[in-house]
């Protein structure tokens, strides 16, 4: 069953209000953790946690104060402290610094987007598994350098998409260890305000927020976040490669796949005959936009000394953009997969249009048993050229050679050997193997998604 509760967009996760709420969650976690360690009264921490909800604050007043102070976290801290009863407000933000709150809040936003993203990828893997299994025996032509190469099956082509997507899932999971890390060491990172309790505080907060924890709490160490943008860009490149391939296969010259478009969709405002791809084009545009964020992310990876707000602010904006775009891209790729209609009869028609030369490798390998690979290659290549120039069939041209007749006693035997439907290598086996792998990956991701959703409820 697909992860059907997933939203259509992750942009609300990175809105102004969502960002402020993420800061309040960090302030709440800080206070509750400090209370656990005996650093502040439990009653004060409970009151802070109770009030750390954006709906309890005057959002318009908060926005005005942020514009005046140009210090959004300080304005939020002041608003939260004023909202708390008695003396609890005096314990808000104790020992923390602005970038601690902003950075940790960003981790929470990205974690949620990542959870949704992996849910979408689970759905895609399940769709690809079905496609690979169905297409395991659909013969088609492989293309290298955009020219006909050897016979394969469509399921084998899909298997390649599956493996690349599985690698992207692996990258997304592995990068969490370096990207979703709590950096919470105070103004310069060296725990001045917390002393010996600093690292225990950070470790306990990380556990509460389900983050890893830094060993050195340097605000300048942002390479994990830059790596995360790079991993999302690699995901975008994979989407773009898939999109480009199906986009080209939709051309009139191929029509090996098409899009299932709703009634009323218009291809062109001036050419009524056009049925233009829509979902593939949308995917390609989004993928290119996400992929382009790598260079500016690398520029933001160069903060100075122990902290640099100029680099940080650039990076936070890039993370918001990348997080929302990556999820939108996953939605678009799932939609394209749901709408993709393979045309196996057209695949076979193209394969068989000039089928015999596609079997040159098999004939070469057979002849190589007696005359060696290089001589066999030259003989077959010459036969292909001669056949093309003279208009004689490839089989008849080959059969003129005595050495060929020692391997194929009758022309019919040679013609049978030149049937590409019998030479698809391990295409079927690979397709079925990767279909099973995709199903297993989808099941694992969905199980993890459901567990995380349950924990949030």
């Amino acid at each position: 069953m697909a992860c059907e509760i997933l939203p259509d967009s992750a942009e609300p996760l990175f809105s102004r209000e969502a960002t402020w709420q993420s800061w309040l969650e960090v302030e709440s976690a800080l206070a509750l953790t400090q209370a656990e360690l005996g650093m502040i009264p439990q009653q004060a921490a409970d009151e802070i946690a109770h009030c750390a909800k954006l709906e309890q604050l005057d959002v318009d007043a908060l926005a005005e104060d942020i514009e005046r102070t140009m210090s959004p976290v300080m304005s939020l801290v002041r608003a939260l402290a004023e909202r708390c009863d008695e003396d609890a407000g005096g314990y808000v933000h104790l020992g923390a610094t602005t970038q601690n709150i902003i950075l940790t809040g960003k981790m929470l936003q990205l974690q949620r987007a990542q959870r949704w993203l992996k849910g979408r990828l689970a759905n895609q893997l399940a769709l690809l598994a079905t496609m690979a299994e169905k297409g395991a025996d659909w013969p088609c032509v492989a293309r290298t350098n955009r020219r006909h190469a050897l016979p394969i099956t469509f399921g084998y082509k899909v298997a390649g998409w599956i493996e690349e997507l599985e690698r992207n899932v692996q990258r997304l999971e592995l990068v969490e260890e370096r990207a979703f890390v709590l950096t919470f060491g105070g103004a310069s990172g060296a725990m001045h305000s917390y002393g010996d309790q600093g690292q225990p505080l950070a470790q306990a907060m990380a556990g509460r927020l389900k983050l890893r924890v830094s060993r050195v709490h340097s605000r300048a160490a942002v390479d994990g976040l830059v790596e995360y943008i790079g991993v999302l860009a690699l995901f975008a490149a994979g989407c773009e490669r898939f999109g480009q391939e199906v986009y080209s296969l939709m051309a009139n010259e191929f029509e090996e796949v098409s899009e299932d478009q709703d009634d009323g969709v218009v291809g062109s405002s001036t050419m009524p005959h056009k049925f233009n791809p829509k979902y593939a084009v949308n995917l390609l545009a989004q993928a290119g936009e996400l992929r382009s964020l790598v260079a500016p992310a690398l520029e933001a990876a160069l903060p100075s000394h122990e902290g640099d707000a100029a680099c940080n602010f650039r990076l936070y904006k890039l993370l918001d953009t990348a997080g929302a775009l990556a999820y939108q891209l996953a939605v678009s790729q799932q939609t394209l997969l749901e709408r993709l209609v393979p045309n196996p009869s057209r695949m076979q028609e193209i394969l068989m249009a000039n089928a015999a030369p596609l079997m040159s490798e098999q004939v070469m390998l057979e002849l190589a048993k007696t005359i060696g690979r290089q001589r066999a290659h030259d003989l077959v290549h010459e036969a292909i050229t001669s056949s093309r120039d003279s208009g004689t069939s490839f089989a008849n041209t080959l059969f003129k050679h005595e050495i060929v007749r020692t391997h194929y006693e009758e022309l019919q035997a040679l013609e049978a050997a030149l049937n590409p439907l019998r030479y698809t290598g391990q295409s079927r086996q690979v397709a079925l193997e990767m279909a099973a792998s995709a199903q297993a990956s989808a099941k694992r991701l969905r199980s993890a998604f459901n567990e995380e959703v349950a924990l949030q409820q």
Side-chain angles (χ1 to χ4, degrees):
M1 182 179 293
C3 300
E4 297 177 353
I5 63 172
L6 291 165
D8 293 332
S9 172
E11 288 188 5
L13 287 180
F14 301 98
S15 67
R16 183 189 70 170
E17 287 73 17
T19 297
W20 290 347
Q21 181 56 52
S22 74
W23 298 350
L24 289 169
E25 290 176 38
V26 179
E27 295 288 359
S28 173
L30 172 62
L32 290 171
T33 307
Q34 286 176 322
E36 285 179 359
L37 297 177
M39 299 170 70
I40 68 172
Q42 184 66 53
Q43 184 177 355
D46 292 340
E47 176 64 11
I48 292 169
H50 173 73
C51 295
K53 300 176 180 62
L54 195 60
E55 59 265 24
Q56 295 206 38
L57 305 181
D58 186 332
V59 174
D60 293 335
L62 175 60
E64 290 178 6
D65 197 58
I66 289 173
E67 185 174 357
R68 181 180 64 83
T69 65
M70 298 181 66
S71 180
V73 171
M74 189 62 220
S75 293
L76 187 84
V77 167
R78 180 185 292 128
L80 176 57
E82 291 174 352
R83 179 68 182 80
C84 292
D85 290 336
E86 299 179 357
D87 61 349
Y91 295 101
V92 173
H93 196 68
L94 190 65
T97 194
T98 292
Q99 294 306 319
N100 292 162
I101 304 302
I102 294 178
L103 180 61
T104 308
K106 194 60 60 190
M107 297 301 97
L108 301 182
Q109 292 172 286
L110 289 171
Q111 274 190 324
R112 289 165 189 147
Q114 174 96 331
R115 186 183 307 124
W116 293 355
L117 174 61
K118 289 192 291 186
R120 287 286 180 178
L121 298 187
N123 293 345
Q124 291 175 36
L125 285 164
L127 290 165
L128 286 167
T130 300
M131 194 178 297
E133 191 171 0
K134 286 183 177 179
D137 294 313
W138 294 345
C140 65
V141 65
R143 297 175 176 90
T144 60
N145 298 322
R146 305 202 174 194
R147 303 285 292 178
H148 286 196
L150 292 172
I152 56 171
T153 69
F154 184 70
Y156 175 81
K157 183 185 290 288
V158 178
W161 300 338
I162 289 172
E163 187 176 34
E164 185 167 5
L165 185 55
E166 287 188 327
R167 284 196 297 270
N168 278 311
V169 170
Q170 291 169 2
R171 292 188 189 101
L172 283 167
E173 293 178 327
L174 289 172
V175 77
E176 291 176 0
E177 297 182 4
R178 294 178 293 278
F180 299 162
V181 177
L182 179 70
T183 300
F184 213 94
S188 296
M191 303 292 184
H192 291 76
S193 57
Y194 300 128
D196 292 343
Q197 290 181 302
Q199 195 62 6
L201 172 66
Q203 290 173 342
M205 275 191 70
R208 183 183 292 274
L209 296 172
K210 296 179 176 58
L211 297 170
R212 281 76 175 173
V213 62
S214 296
R215 290 185 294 173
V216 179
H217 291 264
S218 171
R219 290 161 44 197
V222 297
D223 55 290
L225 294 173
V226 173
E227 182 187 3
Y228 184 64
I229 294 176
V231 167
L232 292 180
L234 276 172
F235 165 62
C239 293
E240 195 165 358
R241 189 182 80 83
F242 161 70
Q244 285 283 11
E245 185 156 13
V246 298
Y247 189 30
S248 65
L249 292 177
M250 291 176 194
N252 293 89
E253 292 78 5
F254 303 123
E255 293 187 328
E256 293 186 11
V257 298
S258 61
E259 291 180 352
D260 179 17
Q261 298 178 358
D262 294 333
D263 294 340
V265 173
V266 176
S268 168
S269 63
T270 189
M271 295 175 285
H273 70 280
K274 292 293 292 290
F275 292 92
N276 290 332
K278 300 291 186 179
Y279 302 104
V281 170
N282 187 48
L283 180 76
L284 292 173
Q286 293 172 352
E289 187 177 356
L290 177 54
R291 187 167 47 80
S292 70
L293 297 181
V294 171
L298 289 172
E299 291 297 319
L302 304 171
S304 60
H305 303 291
E306 281 65 55
D308 190 335
C311 284
N312 289 341
F313 288 154
R314 289 204 300 268
L315 182 58
Y316 297 153
K317 185 174 182 180
L318 286 167
L319 286 166
D320 286 350
T321 303
L325 259 178
Y327 183 72
Q328 194 58 54
L329 187 60
V331 172
S332 296
Q333 182 158 263
Q334 179 179 331
T335 302
L336 177 56
L337 284 168
E338 290 169 341
R339 297 276 187 165
L340 197 65
V341 181
N343 187 349
S345 62
R346 179 60 177 159
M347 294 175 197
Q348 184 165 333
E349 180 183 351
I350 291 175
L351 173 66
M352 301 302 291
N354 188 26
L358 299 179
M359 303 301 293
S360 63
E361 179 190 65
Q362 186 182 45
V363 173
M364 179 193 73
L365 292 175
E366 175 64 25
L367 298 179
K369 295 175 182 178
T370 55
I371 63 174
R373 195 213 68 87
Q374 190 56 45
R375 286 183 60 196
H377 178 280
D378 293 344
L379 185 153
V380 174
H381 179 73
E382 181 183 353
I384 289 173
T385 303
S386 176
S387 171
R388 182 190 62 198
D389 294 343
S390 66
T392 306
S393 74
F394 180 48
N396 285 328
T397 304
L398 272 175
F399 204 66
K400 293 176 182 178
H401 293 273
E402 182 178 354
I403 188 62
V404 173
R405 294 194 296 273
T406 64
H407 287 263
Y408 304 96
E409 295 181 359
E410 297 181 355
L411 180 60
Q412 288 180 332
L414 177 58
E415 289 174 336
L418 295 177
N419 183 352
L421 300 180
R422 302 176 182 177
Y423 193 66
T424 58
Q426 297 293 300
S427 292
R428 184 177 192 276
Q429 292 88 328
V430 172
L432 295 178
E433 177 185 334
M434 293 310 298
S437 179
Q439 286 286 14
S441 295
K443 182 178 180 180
R444 180 183 64 80
L445 286 171
R446 286 171 177 167
S447 177
F449 175 84
N450 292 331
E451 287 179 7
E452 291 179 358
V453 169
L455 288 173
Q456 296 297 315
Q457 294 175 346

